[in-house]
Amino acid sequence: MFLLVRSEDVSGVSGTGIVAEGVEFSDGTVAMRWLRHPFSVAFYGSIQDVLAIHGHGGKTRVKWLHENHYEQGVRYGQEKTRMARLSD
């Protein structure tokens, strides 16, 4: 898991600080979810692709997280079990 951390908002859209969270799969593919409106999800071929598109010349960085990492009061890497009830 990783966080996308922005020190300067070049586009004026996403703000600064932690702007997205994501995962890197075993084949290098990345899924990333923006934490600001409109909260979109995107897939990339690699973490290098993410930085090429969203890195803004070093103004945005990837912060890799270890298991059970706490960041600004949020616990990342915690397994959650959810039950859903399906209606007829």
Side-chain angles (χ1 to χ4, degrees):
M1 290 185 71
F2 67 88
L3 302 174
L4 201 63
V5 183
R6 197 159 269 169
S7 61
E8 182 182 333
D9 184 7
V10 175
S11 66
V13 175
S14 60
T16 59
I18 299 169
V19 296
E21 59 189 9
V23 295
E24 182 181 44
F25 298 99
S26 59
D27 68 352
T29 301
V30 170
M32 191 172 76
R33 181 177 184 268
W34 291 95
L35 299 175
R36 311 279 165 83
H37 184 53
F39 305 100
S40 62
V41 175
F43 294 90
Y44 303 88
S46 68
I47 197 68
Q48 291 81 12
D49 291 346
V50 171
L51 289 173
I53 296 166
H54 301 293
H56 299 295
K59 294 180 175 103
T60 303
R61 65 182 175 87
V62 171
K63 179 175 183 179
W64 293 101
L65 305 178
H66 54 80
E67 188 175 348
N68 296 324
H69 179 86
Y70 285 90
E71 188 78 33
Q72 296 183 354
V74 176
R75 184 176 181 183
Y76 292 89
Q78 178 182 14
E79 291 186 26
K80 296 179 182 177
T81 303
R82 295 185 183 193
M83 300 290 289
R85 182 173 182 217
L86 301 175
S87 58
D88 298 282

